[in-house]
Amino acid sequence: MSSCSHTTLELLPEPASRLRCRQCHLTIPRDDLKDGFCPECFDTSGLKQYEFEELVEEKSGVARYRCEECGVIIQSR
């Protein structure tokens, strides 16, 4: 057990929506897709693939916190 009292907590954000490339199956947060094409396909083949499918994540209703002192993740409903 940790001797930390977890007095300094930071609320962690909900995970961002993610996209999966239909060609190479890379999953990437929507916010990281800056140019609109798959960076993995472009790096490996030089081709710009623009076809993605959105991954649907269910909202858990659980708030997640990280202790700034020891780094442990705490979940709360």
Side-chain angles (χ1 to χ4, degrees):
M1 298 272 345
S2 172
S3 63
C4 183
S5 62
H6 309 306
T7 57
T8 310
L9 298 177
E10 177 184 355
L11 178 63
L12 298 174
E14 289 285 328
S17 64
R18 298 181 68 82
L19 301 173
R20 179 183 304 149
C21 176
R22 293 183 186 259
Q23 183 69 30
C24 72
H25 306 292
L26 171 78
T27 58
I28 186 169
R30 182 182 294 277
D31 298 339
D32 290 350
L33 195 63
K34 296 175 178 47
D35 298 321
F37 58 87
C38 176
E40 182 70 21
C41 288
F42 186 71
D43 286 345
T44 57
S45 66
L47 299 174
K48 295 181 179 181
Q49 299 290 337
Y50 293 94
E51 293 186 35
F52 294 90
E53 59 185 330
E54 187 165 359
L55 300 176
V56 179
E57 295 182 21
E58 294 181 20
K59 299 292 181 183
S60 64
V62 174
R64 295 176 357 139
Y65 300 90
R66 180 179 55 232
C67 177
E68 291 295 310
E69 295 171 10
C70 70
V72 71
I73 303 293
I74 301 169
Q75 295 184 1
S76 173
R77 290 192 183 254

